[in-house]
Amino acid sequence: MTPHSTTPAPQAGPQPAVLVLEDGRIHRGTSFGATGTTLGEAVFTTGMSGYQETLTDPSYCRQIVVATAPQIGNTGWNDEDGESLLDGEARGGRIWVSGFVIRDLSRQPSNHRSSRSLEDEMAAQGVVGIAGIDTRAVVRHIRELGAMKAGIFSGDDLTDDETMLTAVRAQESMAGASLSDEVSTREAYVVEPEGEASYTIAALDLGIKTNTPRMLTERGVRVHVLPADSTLQDILDLGVDGVFLSNGPGDPATADHAVHLTKEVLGQGIPFFGICFGNQILGRALGLETYKMQFGHRGINIPVIEKATGAVAITSQNHGFALRAPEGDTWQTPWGTAAVTHVCANDGTVEGVALVDGSAFSVQYHPESAAGPRDAADLFDRFVSLLESSDLGSADSRKGSN
């Protein structure tokens, strides 16, 4: 069975829908958006705002998102806040979540930037949702038992409980899922800064959000966004000053190509910056292992401590995997000493790693926010400073080398 099997939402009155969890728990509510069947991993996000950015974040690919905010849809849907492209354009962004679970759907959106309702956009994009659910109970269940396989069923697909549960359990697990190629751009493209570019970087698209190149171009950086299967030669041919690894979905243990490419980049001495999935990739390249978290970090209020300064940033996060902490704060790699640079104040999860010489660093959260606080935006400034101070040779000298 495919993750999606949908039809346009019926127009006459609320229609029944059910959320079926892998362990047999069933929650009954009403359908909104498209009707049909959708399968995915049930996770929750604690963000009280920014549902459009959440739904269009490629990192949520193949996940059914449960919103902890009690009412969703208040601000409608606009053409500016999407974090992915739809048919090559912004236009509100492609919705990447498999399904959406909420308590109360706002009956009438009210915002001067809104051009349509959330429900209309979900129906247009074939995304199945369920409302009228006790989301507090669902979230408590996931926190206790962990993220799990799930499905939303409505319309003609609403059948007997055992049939629906069988479909839920038959789907692939998120553990072992390789999804970067599914969400990555098929063709390279360039995002230019306003005015003359001071630096040029290659950004490997593992599920990049649209605000990330925007944050870099605001700092005078030309961004070449490359497909996930790009090679070192593709990067060298561009003569870039640095390399960026984006966020993305799936199990980092499957991302062998990205890990190998990262090792090659480190070997070339090219300045490197990674976020989220990119943090897990750098960690793996530096010799660390990854693991699947019980329910992950998803929200816009997660505190992170920078170990060197003790400073705390409130961050936007979306990840269900993490780096396993080394025995000490530092360890040796083929490219020099590496260190854990950031940890989560809530549970001690590794939130950042780096080479001590400063040539490569990464964090487990979203410094581009969208949605979320802007506490970590200075990390883009740090990357630009690294590009500026790098004495590892000009980009022109690397162009075309092996």
Side-chain angles (χ1 to χ4, degrees):
M1 177 177 288
T2 60
H4 287 283
S5 174
T6 64
T7 58
Q11 299 300 311
Q15 301 295 311
V18 297
L19 169 67
V20 180
L21 300 180
E22 180 182 4
D23 66 349
R25 177 168 290 204
I26 296 177
H27 295 263
R28 304 185 188 277
T30 58
S31 171
F32 81 101
T35 60
T37 297
T38 189
L39 303 173
E41 180 185 51
V43 300
F44 64 87
T45 176
T46 59
M48 297 298 289
S49 62
Y51 59 79
Q52 181 170 341
E53 292 91 335
T54 294
L55 297 181
T56 56
D57 180 352
S59 297
Y60 279 111
C61 177
R62 295 197 194 176
Q63 292 183 320
I64 294 174
V65 175
V66 182
T68 61
Q71 191 171 70
I72 297 293
N74 307 63
T75 55
W77 195 271
N78 62 57
D79 287 331
E80 293 80 38
D81 290 345
E83 284 303 312
S84 60
L85 300 179
L86 181 62
D87 299 329
E89 302 177 3
R91 296 199 295 111
R94 172 177 172 176
I95 298 176
W96 280 102
V97 303
S98 291
F100 201 21
V101 181
I102 66 173
R103 178 180 173 181
D104 294 324
L105 178 65
S106 178
R107 289 175 291 179
Q108 181 65 46
S110 178
N111 187 277
H112 70 282
R113 299 171 67 235
S114 175
S115 59
R116 52 203 178 276
S117 72
L118 166 64
E119 183 170 23
D120 287 345
E121 187 67 22
M122 287 178 57
Q125 294 199 36
V127 179
V128 176
I130 183 170
I133 292 292
D134 184 351
T135 50
R136 293 173 300 177
V138 178
V139 170
R140 286 175 66 92
H141 192 66
I142 294 173
R143 281 184 60 90
E144 292 174 359
L145 299 182
M148 64 182 72
K149 298 175 183 179
I152 302 173
F153 302 84
S154 58
D156 293 340
D157 291 353
L158 190 57
T159 59
D160 64 276
D161 293 353
E162 191 59 38
T163 298
M164 293 185 292
L165 181 59
T166 298
V168 166
R169 290 173 173 171
Q171 68 179 291
E172 295 181 5
S173 172
M174 188 60 69
S178 179
L179 302 179
S180 296
D181 288 340
E182 186 172 329
V183 302
S184 180
T185 182
R186 296 294 180 262
E187 301 289 339
Y189 61 93
V190 182
V191 184
E192 295 281 358
E194 294 185 9
E196 185 176 354
S198 300
Y199 303 100
T200 299
I201 70 160
L204 193 69
D205 179 6
L206 305 173
I208 198 167
K209 293 167 64 177
T210 58
N211 201 42
T212 299
R214 187 181 302 125
M215 296 287 281
L216 289 162
T217 58
E218 288 176 355
R219 291 160 172 79
V221 178
R222 175 186 294 113
V223 182
H224 288 267
V225 182
L226 303 182
D229 60 357
S230 298
T231 66
L232 177 65
Q233 195 62 53
D234 293 331
I235 293 172
L236 295 177
D237 287 346
L238 296 172
V240 298
D241 302 294
V243 171
F244 173 86
L245 252 63
S246 78
N247 59 289
D251 187 343
T254 68
D256 292 340
H257 173 76
V259 172
H260 177 71
L261 179 61
T262 299
K263 290 179 178 179
E264 291 182 316
V265 169
L266 297 178
Q268 292 285 323
I270 305 173
F272 178 96
F273 176 34
I275 65 170
C276 308
F277 199 73
N279 177 67
Q280 297 159 9
I281 299 306
L282 178 60
R284 279 196 59 196
L286 296 177
L288 299 183
E289 295 180 346
T290 59
Y291 66 96
K292 194 175 191 305
M293 305 171 73
Q294 182 178 6
F295 51 81
H297 292 165
R298 296 178 180 87
I300 57 178
N301 60 346
I302 299 171
V304 171
I305 302 171
E306 184 175 20
K307 294 174 69 68
T309 64
V312 176
I314 304 302
T315 68
S316 174
Q317 298 196 19
N318 171 19
H319 63 105
F321 295 84
L323 290 171
R324 194 174 300 282
E327 292 186 3
D329 283 345
T330 63
W331 68 98
Q332 296 303 311
T333 78
W335 309 279
T337 303
V340 173
T341 57
H342 298 74
V343 295
C344 180
N346 290 338
D347 57 14
T349 300
V350 174
E351 295 278 2
V353 295
L355 287 175
V356 171
D357 67 7
S359 61
F361 69 102
S362 61
V363 295
Q364 188 56 66
Y365 44 94
H366 287 266
E368 84 291 342
S369 59
R374 301 179 180 179
D375 293 22
D378 68 304
L379 289 170
F380 291 107
D381 298 318
R382 295 188 195 184
F383 185 40
V384 172
S385 295
L386 174 59
L387 301 177
E388 182 179 5
S389 64
S390 175
D391 61 352
L392 303 176
S394 69
D396 289 340
S397 70
R398 292 192 293 266
K399 185 175 181 180
S401 64
N402 292 311

